[in-house]
Amino acid sequence: MKSTWAKPGSFEQKWYLYDAENVILKDKKYYWHTGYLGGIKERSYAEMMDRKPEEVLRLAVERMLPKTTLGRKMIKKLKIYAGAEHPHAAQMPVKVDM
């Protein structure tokens, strides 16, 4: 029996998420640090959804992935759009109901 080996993260599947503005997640606060002393910033879920709804989903997915080079490669293959219009109609994406 011949064993096959695939390099981790070598799959070329890309994921497209549409209608990010309609997603309802747990109301929470998002924190980040600017790099300066006392530079911790926070933004609420409502503020994030008003500014960039796709960023909320990207952060949620990114925090579930491994914090290695494989995780960074995987997050690059995720494309998120706030509305229903997207530039990937030529690839004929398939809608998956959850």
Side-chain angles (χ1 to χ4, degrees), residues 6-75:
K7 183 179 171 185
S10 63
F11 52 90
E12 292 298 323
Q13 187 173 9
K14 295 187 179 181
W15 293 91
Y16 304 105
L17 296 176
Y18 313 115
D19 290 331
E21 58 199 15
N22 297 331
V23 172
I24 300 171
L25 297 175
K26 184 176 136 181
D27 195 18
K28 63 181 275 182
K29 295 204 182 273
Y30 294 90
Y31 298 96
W32 71 96
H33 200 280
T34 62
Y36 290 99
L37 292 174
I40 191 152
K41 301 281 186 176
E42 74 175 33
R43 205 173 273 155
S44 71
Y45 172 75
E47 290 173 337
M48 291 284 283
M49 288 302 285
D50 289 341
R51 294 177 67 123
K52 283 187 161 184
E54 61 272 0
E55 187 69 14
V56 174
L57 275 177
R58 190 190 65 77
L59 285 172
V61 171
E62 185 177 8
R63 290 173 181 175
M64 288 187 265
L65 293 177
K67 311 302 188 264
T68 60
T69 54
L70 177 61
R72 288 189 286 275
K73 287 179 184 178
M74 291 168 79
I75 198 68

